[in-house]
Amino acid sequence: MSPSRKVVVTQRFFDDQALAYLRDRDCVVEIASLPPGKADGDLDHDALVALLAGAAGWIVGHARVTRALLEALPDLQIVSRRGVGYERVDLEAARDLGRVVAIAAGGNDASVADHVIGLMLAVARRFRESQQRMLEGDWSILMGSDLCEKTVGVVGLGRIGKSVVKRLSGFDCNVLVHTTRPDPDYARATGVDYVDLPDLLRRSDYVTLHAPLTPQTRFLIDATAIETMKPGAILINTARGGLVEDAHLLQALRAGRLAGAGLDVYVSESDPSYKPVSQALLALPNVVGAPHSGASSREGLDRTNMVAARSVVAVLDGGDPPPECVVADGRPGR
């Protein structure tokens, strides 16, 4: 086996099938042993360099892939994310240095979409509040609200957004969509209406976010946007921490402006100064929170593991990952 086919995995829950796929294709696989309670995003530059020395492929979770890190790893040919976000990867540096960056496109769409519907139902039907009261001996009934036949605003219409729209059809929802790339054929086929963001916020009983985090979308939902929302609406964010100004959301929930929120991502994931805000949100009875686990079903992780592994093998074999997986390719002639 050639050392040029060394692959390091810094993600937990890497399944046997994906591991076998890599090894059957002459890859030497090393799965990083991370400290308890830590993810690869918690590792500093020096720790990552030590783990990745000599690696040609890296299957990564949430670690920051900086220019300095790539420069310190001259053997590294491909960074393959077991996920679909790539805001923590310096794509320009990857191109400059001749590297490939791939995402696991299509692997977790169903898992995250299921998670979204689950959060909508949990918040609207007040599952958390009801169970807590029962534990305290109060079995009185709290009145919730339906998802059926409500108006749902979907912000962003990528693969996950479309998967959510598909599921909402079973609830007979009226779906409004805000996207930078409206597709008239899709609207005719599904019955969604394309609207601008203020209109979507004013009309929606539920707002669910599925946009990437960019300088243009950072704090897309701030105090002004929340003030535009329909009173008593429910906000769902499973996309990226930073799309919502969590401090403003906290104020709105405390003031009773919104009925509740379902959160899987938080500003504090990238900005530790927001940690008290995240803790305060999670303490509210009308917030249902999860630790960025929307894609973390057994089936979803198995799918994304395999997509990430296939991209690694494709590059090490001198070929190309599926086009939808490639977000940067700095190899000559590509």
Side-chain angles (χ1 to χ4, degrees), residues 6 8 45-58 64-79 97 99:
K6 176 180 173 181
V8 175
H45 171 91
D46 291 341
L48 288 169
V49 170
L51 278 173
L52 295 162
W58 178 17
R64 292 195 177 279
V65 185
T66 64
R67 182 179 293 271
L69 181 61
L70 292 173
E71 289 174 343
L73 300 168
D75 298 318
L76 190 63
Q77 298 179 45
I78 175 169
V79 176
L97 296 169
R99 318 300 172 83

Side-chain angles (χ1 to χ4, degrees), residues 84-88 91 103 154-161 178-181 208-221 237-244 265 327:
V84 295
Y86 48 87
E87 67 274 4
R88 295 189 174 204
L91 299 183
I103 59 173
V154 178
V155 180
L157 196 64
R159 291 177 297 269
I160 294 172
H178 174 65
T179 177
T180 57
R181 292 179 293 180
T208 179
L209 305 180
H210 302 287
L213 181 62
T214 67
Q216 292 71 39
T217 62
R218 181 168 175 80
F219 292 160
L220 183 71
I221 305 299
N237 187 12
T238 61
R240 283 291 177 265
L243 291 177
V244 178
V265 291
V327 293

Side-chain angles (χ1 to χ4, degrees), residues 13-25 59 80-83 103-108 298-314 321-322 325:
F13 311 115
F14 198 73
D15 66 285
D16 291 342
Q17 186 176 0
L19 183 60
Y21 176 86
L22 290 169
R23 287 177 171 164
D24 288 347
R25 285 150 184 84
I59 296 179
S80 187
R81 273 227 64 226
R82 191 188 71 181
I103 59 173
N108 62 18
R298 292 183 181 88
E299 298 84 355
L301 291 180
D302 287 353
R303 288 191 298 267
T304 51
N305 285 338
M306 187 59 76
V307 174
R310 290 183 184 279
S311 291
V312 167
V313 169
C325 294

Side-chain angles (χ1 to χ4, degrees), residues 190-326:
T190 60
V192 305
D193 292 323
Y194 295 118
V195 296
D196 62 26
L197 183 60
D199 191 26
L200 181 148
L201 296 175
R202 280 192 295 268
R203 295 166 57 189
S204 297
D205 301 295
Y206 298 78
V207 174
T208 179
L209 305 180
H210 302 287
L213 181 62
T214 67
Q216 292 71 39
T217 62
R218 181 168 175 80
F219 292 160
L220 183 71
I221 305 299
D222 58 7
T224 300
I226 292 170
E227 188 60 32
T228 305
M229 290 176 67
K230 188 174 184 178
I234 290 170
L235 177 66
I236 307 293
N237 187 12
T238 61
R240 283 291 177 265
L243 291 177
V244 178
E245 216 309 359
D246 286 350
H248 296 176
L249 175 61
L250 177 62
Q251 294 170 359
L253 290 168
R254 283 175 168 170
R257 182 72 181 73
L258 303 178
L263 304 175
D264 192 45
V265 291
Y266 312 86
V267 179
S268 61
E269 292 177 87
S270 58
D271 184 350
S273 71
Y274 271 76
K275 195 70 173 180
V277 175
S278 296
Q279 297 292 355
L281 282 167
L282 293 170
L284 295 176
N286 56 344
V287 170
V288 176
H292 204 149
S293 60
S296 297
S297 67
R298 292 183 181 88
E299 298 84 355
L301 291 180
D302 287 353
R303 288 191 298 267
T304 51
N305 285 338
M306 187 59 76
V307 174
R310 290 183 184 279
S311 291
V312 167
V313 169
V315 170
L316 299 190
D317 285 346
D320 300 316
E324 65 272 16
C325 294
V326 179

Side-chain angles (χ1 to χ4, degrees), residues 90-233:
D90 187 334
L91 299 183
E92 182 179 0
R95 295 187 190 98
D96 291 346
L97 296 169
R99 318 300 172 83
V100 179
V101 180
I103 59 173
N108 62 18
D109 303 354
S111 303
V112 178
D114 287 357
H115 197 63
V116 169
I117 300 300
L119 287 173
M120 288 180 176
L121 294 171
V123 176
R125 297 306 301 266
R126 304 173 73 177
F127 290 165
R128 175 183 176 180
E129 295 173 83
S130 294
Q131 183 166 347
Q132 185 58 45
R133 288 195 181 197
M134 291 169 71
L135 289 170
E136 295 168 356
D138 181 357
W139 285 53
S140 60
I141 294 173
L142 291 173
M143 194 66 65
S145 59
D146 286 341
L147 176 57
C148 180
E149 298 184 348
K150 292 297 176 65
T151 296
V152 179
V154 178
V155 180
L157 196 64
R159 291 177 297 269
I160 294 172
K162 287 181 177 178
S163 293
V164 171
V165 171
K166 182 179 179 180
R167 284 153 176 75
L168 290 171
S169 67
F171 290 88
D172 295 325
C173 291
N174 172 40
V175 179
L176 308 177
V177 172
H178 174 65
T179 177
T180 57
R181 292 179 293 180
D183 179 349
D185 291 337
Y186 178 81
R188 282 191 289 272
T190 60
V192 305
D193 292 323
Y194 295 118
V195 296
D196 62 26
L197 183 60
D199 191 26
L200 181 148
L201 296 175
R202 280 192 295 268
R203 295 166 57 189
S204 297
D205 301 295
Y206 298 78
V207 174
T208 179
L209 305 180
H210 302 287
L213 181 62
T214 67
Q216 292 71 39
T217 62
R218 181 168 175 80
F219 292 160
L220 183 71
I221 305 299
D222 58 7
T224 300
I226 292 170
E227 188 60 32
T228 305
M229 290 176 67
K230 188 174 184 178

